[in-house]
Amino acid sequence: MASIPCTIQLATRTASSSTRWKSPRATQGGGGAAPRTPLPAPRMQGWSLPSKVAPARGSWRVGFFKFGNKDAEGAGIYGSQGRDDFDRDDVEQYFNYMGMLAVEGTYDKMEALLNENIHPVDILLLLAASEGDLPKIEEVLKAGAKYDVKDADGRTALDRANPEVREFITGFATAKA
């Protein structure tokens, strides 16, 4: 769990003047200095944001904000996509990310897979199995990728995978069933 501490400074207004406020230090009677008039608060969309940025002695609170869930999957980042959430752009991004364009020099292999009317999530599984990318394989299998879909050469993701990846895919499939 990621938490970020923050400090909130509370300022008080005096009852005698609605246009001037005193810092918590001045309201406590300390320091003997005359109260300062703050800079005008910035205006946004018709309302003002009075706030004191610098910490001072006086009323302040510390709060902790919790961001997201305990894991990426629960936060909707990893593994929460369904089969139909993947598209052609995801295939192209993965192709580029894994450096396949640099190796191949063209998008011909990617285009050939897309022209076979294979679903993009299944193409991602074929490419990830070829690369041995276990996190991507797990992500697309959770999304509903089918490991028995054949490419233009008649090869499945299991055919493209090394023994370790093949065992991972089959183990995932049996655990899901």
Side-chain angles (χ1 to χ4, degrees):
M1 169 176 40
S3 297
I4 298 176
C6 70
T7 303
I8 300 170
Q9 180 72 33
L10 301 175
T12 59
R13 288 185 180 260
T14 61
S16 63
S17 172
S18 62
T19 59
R20 296 184 61 153
W21 62 266
K22 294 182 181 181
S23 71
R25 179 187 235 184
T27 59
Q28 294 170 356
R36 291 187 237 148
T37 304
L39 294 174
R43 294 212 175 262
M44 295 178 62
Q45 300 177 359
W47 51 277
S48 65
L49 298 170
S51 64
K52 186 161 175 109
V53 177
R57 289 187 300 180
S59 298
W60 59 275
R61 302 286 184 257
V62 175
F64 291 93
F65 296 96
K66 182 179 172 187
F67 293 99
N69 293 324
K70 293 182 180 180
D71 61 351
E73 185 174 341
I77 298 170
Y78 173 79
S80 64
Q81 291 181 303
R83 183 172 176 82
D84 293 328
D85 293 329
F86 290 91
D87 61 9
R88 179 185 182 91
D89 290 337
D90 294 314
V91 174
E92 183 176 347
Q93 288 174 1
Y94 187 74
F95 196 80
N96 291 334
Y97 172 74
M98 292 305 289
M100 295 175 195
L101 178 61
V103 172
E104 300 295 328
T106 65
Y107 286 107
D108 291 344
K109 282 192 175 184
M110 182 189 77
E111 291 294 334
L113 288 169
L114 288 168
N115 291 335
E116 289 288 319
N117 292 327
I118 301 173
H119 196 281
V121 75
D122 298 329
I123 294 172
L124 287 170
L125 180 59
L126 290 168
L127 296 174
S130 298
E131 295 295 316
D133 186 359
L134 293 179
K136 189 66 167 183
I137 292 169
E138 181 180 10
E139 177 186 356
V140 296
L141 285 172
K142 283 183 179 181
K146 299 175 184 172
Y147 63 89
D148 57 352
V149 172
K150 296 182 179 182
D151 63 7
D153 299 329
R155 296 172 51 202
T156 65
L158 293 174
D159 296 332
R160 291 171 162 238
N162 65 36
E164 177 189 356
V165 172
R166 192 175 305 121
E167 183 179 320
F168 180 81
I169 293 172
T170 55
F172 188 87
T174 57
K176 192 174 181 180

Coordinates of all heavy atoms in Angstrom, one line a residue, residues 12-96:
T12 N -7.0 30.8 11.0 CA -8.3 31.3 11.6 C -8.5 32.7 11.3 O -7.6 33.5 11.1 CB -8.2 31.1 13.1 OG1 -7.1 31.9 13.6 CG2 -8.0 29.7 13.5
R13 N -9.8 33.1 11.2 CA -10.1 34.5 11.0 C -10.5 35.1 12.3 O -11.1 34.5 13.2 CB -11.3 34.6 10.0 CG -11.0 34.3 8.6 CD -12.3 34.5 7.8 NE -12.0 34.2 6.4 CZ -11.8 35.2 5.5 NH1 -11.8 36.4 5.8 NH2 -11.5 34.8 4.3
T14 N -10.2 36.4 12.4 CA -10.6 37.1 13.7 C -12.1 37.5 13.5 O -12.6 37.7 12.4 CB -9.8 38.3 13.9 OG1 -9.9 39.2 12.8 CG2 -8.3 37.9 14.1
A15 N -12.8 37.6 14.6 CA -14.2 38.0 14.6 C -14.4 39.4 14.2 O -15.4 39.8 13.7 CB -14.9 37.7 15.9
S16 N -13.4 40.3 14.5 CA -13.6 41.7 14.2 C -13.4 42.1 12.8 O -13.9 43.1 12.4 CB -12.6 42.5 15.1 OG -11.3 42.2 14.7
S17 N -12.7 41.3 12.0 CA -12.4 41.7 10.6 C -12.6 40.6 9.7 O -12.0 39.5 9.9 CB -11.0 42.3 10.5 OG -10.7 42.5 9.2
S18 N -13.5 40.8 8.7 CA -13.7 39.7 7.8 C -12.7 39.7 6.6 O -12.6 38.8 5.9 CB -15.1 39.7 7.3 OG -15.3 41.0 6.6
T19 N -12.0 40.8 6.5 CA -11.0 40.9 5.4 C -9.6 40.5 5.7 O -8.8 40.3 4.9 CB -11.0 42.3 4.8 OG1 -10.6 43.2 5.8 CG2 -12.4 42.7 4.2
R20 N -9.3 40.5 7.0 CA -8.0 40.2 7.5 C -8.0 38.9 8.3 O -9.0 38.6 9.0 CB -7.4 41.3 8.3 CG -7.2 42.6 7.5 CD -6.6 43.6 8.4 NE -5.3 43.0 8.8 CZ -4.2 43.8 9.1 NH1 -4.3 45.1 9.1 NH2 -3.1 43.2 9.4
W21 N -7.0 38.1 8.2 CA -7.0 36.9 9.0 C -5.6 36.9 9.7 O -4.7 37.5 9.3 CB -7.2 35.6 8.2 CG -6.2 35.3 7.1 CD1 -6.3 35.6 5.8 CD2 -5.0 34.6 7.3 NE1 -5.2 35.1 5.1 CE2 -4.4 34.5 6.0 CE3 -4.3 34.0 8.3 CZ2 -3.2 33.9 5.8 CZ3 -3.1 33.4 8.1 CH2 -2.5 33.4 6.8
K22 N -5.6 36.1 10.8 CA -4.4 36.0 11.5 C -3.9 34.6 11.5 O -4.7 33.6 11.4 CB -4.6 36.4 13.0 CG -5.0 37.8 13.2 CD -5.2 38.1 14.7 CE -5.5 39.5 14.9 NZ -5.7 39.8 16.3
S23 N -2.6 34.4 11.4 CA -2.1 33.1 11.4 C -2.3 32.4 12.8 O -2.6 33.1 13.8 CB -0.6 33.1 11.2 OG 0.1 33.7 12.3
P24 N -2.2 31.1 12.9 CA -2.4 30.5 14.2 C -1.4 31.0 15.3 O -1.7 31.1 16.4 CB -2.2 29.0 13.9 CG -2.5 28.9 12.5 CD -2.1 30.1 11.9
R25 N -0.2 31.4 14.8 CA 0.8 31.9 15.7 C 0.3 33.2 16.3 O 0.4 33.5 17.5 CB 2.1 32.1 15.0 CG 3.2 32.6 15.8 CD 4.3 32.9 14.9 NE 5.5 32.2 15.4 CZ 6.7 32.3 14.9 NH1 6.9 33.1 13.8 NH2 7.7 31.7 15.4
A26 N -0.3 34.1 15.5 CA -0.8 35.4 16.0 C -2.0 35.2 16.9 O -2.2 36.0 17.8 CB -1.1 36.3 14.8
T27 N -2.9 34.2 16.6 CA -4.1 34.1 17.4 C -3.7 33.5 18.8 O -4.5 33.7 19.7 CB -5.1 33.1 16.8 OG1 -4.5 31.9 16.5 CG2 -5.6 33.8 15.5
Q28 N -2.6 32.8 18.9 CA -2.1 32.3 20.2 C -1.5 33.4 21.1 O -1.1 33.1 22.2 CB -1.2 31.2 20.0 CG -1.8 30.0 19.4 CD -0.8 28.9 19.0 OE1 0.4 29.1 19.1 NE2 -1.3 27.8 18.5
G29 N -1.3 34.6 20.5 CA -0.8 35.7 21.3 C 0.8 35.6 21.3 O 1.4 36.4 22.1
G30 N 1.4 34.8 20.6 CA 2.8 34.7 20.6 C 3.5 35.6 19.6 O 2.9 36.0 18.6
G31 N 4.7 36.0 19.9 CA 5.5 36.7 18.9 C 5.5 38.2 18.9 O 6.4 38.9 18.7
G32 N 4.4 38.8 19.3 CA 4.2 40.2 19.4 C 4.2 40.9 18.0 O 4.1 42.1 18.0
A33 N 4.4 40.2 17.0 CA 4.4 40.9 15.7 C 3.0 41.1 15.2 O 2.1 40.4 15.6 CB 5.1 40.0 14.6
A34 N 2.9 42.2 14.4 CA 1.6 42.5 13.9 C 1.1 41.4 12.9 O 1.9 40.9 12.2 CB 1.6 43.9 13.2
P35 N -0.2 41.1 12.9 CA -0.6 40.1 12.0 C -0.4 40.6 10.5 O -0.5 41.7 10.2 CB -2.1 40.0 12.3 CG -2.5 41.2 13.0 CD -1.2 41.7 13.7
R36 N -0.1 39.6 9.7 CA 0.2 39.9 8.3 C -1.1 39.7 7.5 O -1.8 38.8 7.8 CB 1.3 39.0 7.7 CG 2.6 39.3 8.3 CD 3.7 38.5 7.6 NE 4.4 37.8 8.7 CZ 4.9 36.6 8.5 NH1 4.8 36.0 7.4 NH2 5.5 36.0 9.5
T37 N -1.2 40.5 6.4 CA -2.3 40.3 5.5 C -1.8 39.3 4.4 O -0.7 39.5 3.9 CB -2.7 41.6 4.8 OG1 -3.0 42.5 5.9 CG2 -3.9 41.4 3.9
P38 N -2.5 38.2 4.2 CA -2.0 37.3 3.2 C -2.2 37.8 1.8 O -2.9 38.8 1.5 CB -3.0 36.1 3.4 CG -4.3 36.7 3.9 CD -3.8 37.9 4.7
L39 N -1.4 37.2 0.9 CA -1.6 37.5 -0.5 C -2.9 37.1 -1.0 O -3.5 36.2 -0.4 CB -0.5 36.8 -1.3 CG 0.9 37.1 -1.1 CD1 1.9 36.2 -1.8 CD2 1.2 38.6 -1.5
P40 N -3.5 37.8 -2.0 CA -4.8 37.4 -2.5 C -4.8 35.9 -2.9 O -3.8 35.5 -3.6 CB -5.1 38.3 -3.6 CG -4.0 39.4 -3.6 CD -2.9 38.9 -2.7
A41 N -5.8 35.2 -2.6 CA -5.9 33.8 -3.0 C -6.2 33.8 -4.5 O -6.9 34.6 -5.0 CB -7.0 33.1 -2.2
P42 N -5.6 32.8 -5.2 CA -5.9 32.6 -6.6 C -7.4 32.3 -6.8 O -8.0 31.6 -6.0 CB -5.0 31.5 -7.0 CG -4.7 30.7 -5.8 CD -4.8 31.7 -4.7
R43 N -7.9 32.8 -7.9 CA -9.3 32.5 -8.2 C -9.4 31.6 -9.4 O -8.7 31.7 -10.4 CB -10.0 33.8 -8.6 CG -10.1 34.7 -7.4 CD -11.4 35.6 -7.5 NE -11.6 36.4 -6.3 CZ -12.3 36.0 -5.3 NH1 -13.0 34.9 -5.3 NH2 -12.4 36.8 -4.2
M44 N -10.2 30.5 -9.2 CA -10.4 29.6 -10.2 C -11.9 29.3 -10.4 O -12.5 29.0 -9.4 CB -9.7 28.2 -9.9 CG -8.2 28.4 -9.8 SD -7.4 26.8 -9.4 CE -7.9 25.8 -10.7
Q45 N -12.4 29.5 -11.5 CA -13.8 29.2 -11.8 C -14.8 29.9 -10.8 O -15.7 29.3 -10.4 CB -14.1 27.7 -11.9 CG -13.3 27.0 -12.9 CD -13.5 25.5 -12.9 OE1 -14.3 25.0 -12.1 NE2 -12.8 24.8 -13.8
G46 N -14.5 31.1 -10.4 CA -15.4 31.8 -9.6 C -15.3 31.6 -8.1 O -16.0 32.1 -7.3
W47 N -14.4 30.7 -7.7 CA -14.3 30.5 -6.2 C -12.8 30.6 -5.9 O -11.9 30.4 -6.7 CB -14.9 29.2 -5.8 CG -14.4 28.0 -6.6 CD1 -14.9 27.5 -7.7 CD2 -13.4 27.0 -6.3 NE1 -14.3 26.4 -8.2 CE2 -13.3 26.1 -7.3 CE3 -12.5 26.9 -5.2 CZ2 -12.4 25.1 -7.3 CZ3 -11.6 25.9 -5.2 CH2 -11.6 25.0 -6.2
S48 N -12.5 30.9 -4.6 CA -11.2 31.1 -4.2 C -10.6 29.9 -3.5 O -11.4 29.2 -2.9 CB -11.0 32.4 -3.3 OG -11.8 32.2 -2.1
L49 N -9.4 29.8 -3.5 CA -8.7 28.7 -2.8 C -7.8 29.3 -1.7 O -6.6 29.4 -1.9 CB -7.8 27.9 -3.8 CG -8.5 27.2 -4.9 CD1 -7.5 26.7 -5.9 CD2 -9.4 26.1 -4.4
P50 N -8.4 29.6 -0.5 CA -7.5 30.1 0.5 C -6.7 29.0 1.1 O -7.3 28.0 1.6 CB -8.4 30.8 1.5 CG -9.7 30.0 1.3 CD -9.7 29.6 -0.1
S51 N -5.4 29.1 1.1 CA -4.6 28.1 1.7 C -3.3 28.7 2.1 O -2.8 29.6 1.6 CB -4.4 26.9 0.7 OG -3.7 27.4 -0.4
K52 N -2.7 28.1 3.1 CA -1.4 28.5 3.5 C -0.4 27.3 3.2 O -0.7 26.2 3.6 CB -1.4 28.8 5.0 CG -0.1 29.3 5.5 CD -0.3 30.0 6.8 CE 1.0 30.5 7.4 NZ 1.1 31.9 7.3
V53 N 0.6 27.6 2.5 CA 1.5 26.5 1.9 C 2.5 26.1 2.9 O 2.8 25.0 3.2 CB 2.1 27.0 0.6 CG1 3.1 25.9 0.1 CG2 1.1 27.3 -0.4
A54 N 3.2 27.1 3.6 CA 4.3 26.8 4.4 C 3.8 26.3 5.8 O 2.9 26.9 6.3 CB 5.2 28.0 4.6
P55 N 4.5 25.3 6.4 CA 4.1 24.9 7.7 C 4.5 26.0 8.7 O 5.5 26.7 8.6 CB 4.8 23.6 7.9 CG 6.0 23.6 7.0 CD 5.5 24.5 5.8
A56 N 3.7 26.1 9.8 CA 4.0 27.0 10.9 C 3.6 26.4 12.2 O 2.9 25.4 12.2 CB 3.3 28.4 10.6
R57 N 4.0 27.0 13.3 CA 3.5 26.5 14.5 C 2.1 26.8 14.7 O 1.6 27.9 14.3 CB 4.3 27.1 15.7 CG 5.7 26.5 15.7 CD 6.4 27.0 16.9 NE 6.5 28.5 16.9 CZ 7.0 29.2 17.9 NH1 7.6 28.6 18.9 NH2 7.1 30.5 17.8
G58 N 1.3 26.0 15.2 CA -0.1 26.2 15.3 C -0.9 25.0 15.0 O -0.5 23.9 15.1
S59 N -2.1 25.3 14.5 CA -3.0 24.2 14.1 C -2.6 23.6 12.8 O -2.6 24.2 11.8 CB -4.4 24.7 14.0 OG -4.9 25.2 15.2
W60 N -2.3 22.3 12.8 CA -2.0 21.6 11.6 C -2.3 20.1 11.8 O -2.3 19.6 12.9 CB -0.5 21.8 11.1 CG 0.5 21.4 12.1 CD1 1.0 22.1 13.1 CD2 1.2 20.1 12.1 NE1 2.0 21.4 13.8 CE2 2.1 20.2 13.2 CE3 1.1 19.0 11.4 CZ2 2.9 19.1 13.5 CZ3 1.9 17.9 11.7 CH2 2.8 18.0 12.8
R61 N -2.6 19.5 10.7 CA -3.0 18.1 10.8 C -2.2 17.3 9.8 O -1.8 17.9 8.7 CB -4.5 17.9 10.4 CG -5.4 18.7 11.3 CD -5.5 18.0 12.7 NE -6.5 18.7 13.5 CZ -6.2 19.5 14.5 NH1 -4.9 19.8 14.7 NH2 -7.1 20.1 15.2
V62 N -1.9 16.1 10.1 CA -1.2 15.2 9.1 C -2.2 14.2 8.7 O -2.9 13.6 9.5 CB 0.0 14.6 9.7 CG1 0.6 13.6 8.8 CG2 1.0 15.6 10.2
G63 N -2.3 14.0 7.3 CA -3.2 13.1 6.8 C -2.5 12.1 5.9 O -1.5 12.5 5.3
F64 N -3.0 10.9 5.7 CA -2.4 10.0 4.8 C -3.5 9.6 3.7 O -4.6 9.3 4.1 CB -1.9 8.7 5.5 CG -0.8 9.0 6.4 CD1 -0.9 9.3 7.7 CD2 0.5 9.0 5.9 CE1 0.1 9.6 8.5 CE2 1.6 9.2 6.7 CZ 1.4 9.5 8.0
F65 N -3.1 9.6 2.5 CA -4.0 9.3 1.4 C -3.5 7.9 0.9 O -2.4 7.7 0.6 CB -3.9 10.3 0.3 CG -4.4 11.7 0.7 CD1 -3.5 12.6 1.2 CD2 -5.7 12.0 0.8 CE1 -3.9 13.9 1.6 CE2 -6.1 13.2 1.2 CZ -5.2 14.2 1.6
K66 N -4.5 7.1 0.7 CA -4.2 5.7 0.2 C -4.5 5.8 -1.3 O -5.6 6.1 -1.7 CB -5.1 4.7 0.9 CG -4.8 3.3 0.4 CD -5.7 2.4 1.2 CE -5.6 1.0 0.6 NZ -6.6 0.1 1.2
F67 N -3.6 5.4 -2.1 CA -3.8 5.4 -3.6 C -3.9 3.9 -4.1 O -3.0 3.1 -3.9 CB -2.6 6.1 -4.3 CG -2.5 7.5 -4.0 CD1 -1.7 8.0 -3.1 CD2 -3.4 8.4 -4.7 CE1 -1.6 9.4 -2.8 CE2 -3.3 9.7 -4.4 CZ -2.4 10.2 -3.5
G68 N -5.0 3.7 -4.7 CA -5.2 2.4 -5.4 C -5.4 1.2 -4.4 O -5.7 1.4 -3.2
N69 N -5.3 0.1 -4.9 CA -5.4 -1.1 -4.1 C -4.0 -1.7 -3.8 O -3.0 -1.1 -4.1 CB -6.2 -2.2 -4.8 CG -7.7 -1.7 -5.0 OD1 -8.2 -1.1 -4.1 ND2 -8.3 -2.0 -6.1
K70 N -4.0 -2.9 -3.1 CA -2.7 -3.4 -2.7 C -2.0 -4.0 -3.9 O -0.8 -4.2 -3.8 CB -3.0 -4.5 -1.7 CG -3.5 -4.0 -0.4 CD -3.7 -5.1 0.6 CE -4.2 -4.5 1.9 NZ -4.4 -5.5 2.9
D71 N -2.6 -4.3 -5.0 CA -1.9 -4.9 -6.1 C -2.4 -4.2 -7.4 O -3.5 -3.6 -7.5 CB -2.1 -6.4 -6.2 CG -3.5 -6.8 -6.3 OD1 -4.5 -6.0 -6.2 OD2 -3.8 -8.0 -6.6
A72 N -1.6 -4.4 -8.5 CA -2.0 -3.7 -9.7 C -3.2 -4.3 -10.3 O -4.0 -3.6 -11.0 CB -0.8 -3.9 -10.7
E73 N -3.4 -5.6 -10.2 CA -4.6 -6.3 -10.7 C -5.9 -5.7 -10.1 O -6.9 -5.4 -10.8 CB -4.5 -7.8 -10.5 CG -5.6 -8.5 -11.2 CD -5.5 -10.0 -11.2 OE1 -4.3 -10.5 -10.9 OE2 -6.4 -10.8 -11.3
G74 N -5.9 -5.6 -8.8 CA -7.0 -5.0 -8.1 C -7.3 -3.6 -8.4 O -8.4 -3.1 -8.4
A75 N -6.3 -2.9 -8.8 CA -6.4 -1.5 -9.2 C -6.9 -1.3 -10.6 O -7.1 -0.2 -11.1 CB -5.1 -0.7 -9.0
G76 N -7.0 -2.4 -11.4 CA -7.5 -2.3 -12.7 C -6.5 -2.0 -13.7 O -6.7 -1.5 -14.8
I77 N -5.2 -2.3 -13.4 CA -4.1 -1.9 -14.3 C -3.7 -3.2 -15.1 O -3.5 -3.1 -16.3 CB -2.9 -1.3 -13.5 CG1 -3.4 -0.1 -12.8 CG2 -1.8 -1.1 -14.4 CD1 -2.4 0.5 -11.9
Y78 N -3.5 -4.2 -14.4 CA -2.9 -5.4 -14.9 C -3.9 -6.6 -14.8 O -4.4 -6.9 -13.7 CB -1.6 -5.8 -14.2 CG -1.0 -7.1 -14.6 CD1 -0.2 -7.2 -15.8 CD2 -1.1 -8.2 -13.8 CE1 0.3 -8.4 -16.2 CE2 -0.5 -9.4 -14.2 CZ 0.2 -9.5 -15.3 OH 0.8 -10.6 -15.7
G79 N -4.1 -7.2 -15.9 CA -5.0 -8.4 -15.9 C -6.4 -8.2 -15.7 O -7.2 -9.2 -15.5
S80 N -6.9 -7.0 -15.8 CA -8.3 -6.8 -15.6 C -9.0 -6.6 -16.9 O -10.2 -6.3 -16.9 CB -8.5 -5.5 -14.7 OG -8.0 -4.4 -15.4
Q81 N -8.3 -6.6 -18.0 CA -9.0 -6.4 -19.4 C -9.6 -7.8 -19.8 O -9.1 -8.8 -19.5 CB -7.9 -6.0 -20.4 CG -7.4 -4.6 -20.2 CD -6.5 -4.2 -21.2 OE1 -5.4 -4.8 -21.4 NE2 -6.8 -3.1 -21.9
G82 N -10.6 -7.6 -20.6 CA -11.3 -8.8 -21.1 C -10.8 -9.0 -22.6 O -10.1 -8.2 -23.1
R83 N -11.2 -10.1 -23.2 CA -10.8 -10.4 -24.5 C -11.1 -9.3 -25.5 O -10.3 -9.0 -26.4 CB -11.6 -11.7 -24.9 CG -11.2 -12.3 -26.2 CD -11.9 -13.6 -26.4 NE -11.6 -14.1 -27.8 CZ -10.5 -14.8 -28.1 NH1 -9.5 -14.9 -27.2 NH2 -10.3 -15.2 -29.3
D84 N -12.2 -8.7 -25.4 CA -12.6 -7.7 -26.4 C -12.0 -6.3 -26.1 O -12.2 -5.4 -26.9 CB -14.1 -7.6 -26.5 CG -14.7 -8.8 -27.1 OD1 -14.1 -9.5 -28.0 OD2 -15.9 -9.2 -26.7
D85 N -11.3 -6.2 -25.1 CA -10.6 -4.9 -24.8 C -9.3 -4.8 -25.5 O -8.7 -3.7 -25.5 CB -10.3 -4.8 -23.3 CG -11.6 -4.7 -22.5 OD1 -12.6 -4.1 -23.0 OD2 -11.6 -5.2 -21.3
F86 N -8.8 -5.8 -26.2 CA -7.6 -5.8 -26.9 C -7.9 -5.5 -28.4 O -8.9 -6.0 -28.9 CB -6.8 -7.1 -26.8 CG -6.2 -7.3 -25.5 CD1 -6.9 -7.9 -24.5 CD2 -4.9 -6.8 -25.2 CE1 -6.3 -8.1 -23.2 CE2 -4.4 -6.9 -23.9 CZ -5.1 -7.6 -22.9
D87 N -7.1 -4.7 -29.1 CA -7.3 -4.4 -30.5 C -6.0 -4.4 -31.2 O -4.9 -4.7 -30.7 CB -8.1 -3.1 -30.6 CG -7.4 -1.9 -30.1 OD1 -6.2 -2.0 -29.7 OD2 -8.1 -0.8 -30.0
R88 N -6.1 -4.0 -32.5 CA -5.0 -3.9 -33.4 C -3.8 -3.0 -32.9 O -2.6 -3.3 -33.0 CB -5.5 -3.4 -34.7 CG -4.4 -3.2 -35.8 CD -5.0 -2.6 -37.0 NE -4.0 -2.5 -38.0 CZ -3.7 -3.4 -39.0 NH1 -4.5 -4.5 -39.0 NH2 -2.8 -3.2 -39.8
D89 N -4.2 -1.9 -32.2 CA -3.2 -1.0 -31.6 C -2.3 -1.7 -30.6 O -1.1 -1.5 -30.4 CB -3.8 0.2 -31.1 CG -4.4 1.1 -32.1 OD1 -3.9 1.0 -33.3 OD2 -5.3 1.9 -31.8
D90 N -3.0 -2.6 -29.8 CA -2.3 -3.3 -28.7 C -1.2 -4.2 -29.3 O -0.1 -4.4 -28.8 CB -3.2 -4.1 -27.8 CG -4.1 -3.2 -27.0 OD1 -3.6 -2.2 -26.5 OD2 -5.4 -3.5 -27.0
V91 N -1.6 -4.9 -30.5 CA -0.7 -5.7 -31.1 C 0.5 -5.0 -31.7 O 1.7 -5.3 -31.5 CB -1.4 -6.5 -32.3 CG1 -0.4 -7.3 -33.1 CG2 -2.5 -7.4 -31.7
E92 N 0.3 -3.8 -32.3 CA 1.3 -3.0 -32.8 C 2.2 -2.4 -31.7 O 3.5 -2.5 -31.9 CB 0.7 -1.8 -33.6 CG 1.8 -1.0 -34.3 CD 1.2 0.1 -35.2 OE1 0.0 0.1 -35.4 OE2 2.0 1.0 -35.5
Q93 N 1.7 -2.0 -30.6 CA 2.5 -1.5 -29.5 C 3.4 -2.6 -28.9 O 4.5 -2.4 -28.6 CB 1.6 -0.9 -28.4 CG 1.0 0.4 -28.8 CD 0.0 0.9 -27.8 OE1 -0.3 0.2 -26.7 NE2 -0.6 2.0 -28.0
Y94 N 2.8 -3.8 -28.8 CA 3.6 -4.9 -28.3 C 4.7 -5.3 -29.3 O 5.9 -5.6 -28.9 CB 2.7 -6.1 -28.0 CG 3.5 -7.2 -27.3 CD1 3.9 -7.1 -26.0 CD2 3.9 -8.4 -28.0 CE1 4.6 -8.1 -25.3 CE2 4.6 -9.4 -27.4 CZ 4.9 -9.3 -26.0 OH 5.7 -10.2 -25.4
F95 N 4.4 -5.3 -30.5 CA 5.4 -5.6 -31.6 C 6.5 -4.6 -31.5 O 7.7 -5.0 -31.6 CB 4.7 -5.5 -33.0 CG 5.4 -6.1 -34.1 CD1 5.4 -7.5 -34.3 CD2 6.2 -5.4 -35.0 CE1 6.0 -8.1 -35.4 CE2 6.8 -5.9 -36.0 CZ 6.8 -7.3 -36.2
N96 N 6.2 -3.3 -31.3 CA 7.3 -2.3 -31.2 C 8.0 -2.4 -29.9 O 9.2 -2.3 -29.8 CB 6.7 -0.9 -31.3 CG 6.2 -0.6 -32.7 OD1 6.7 -1.2 -33.7 ND2 5.2 0.2 -32.8

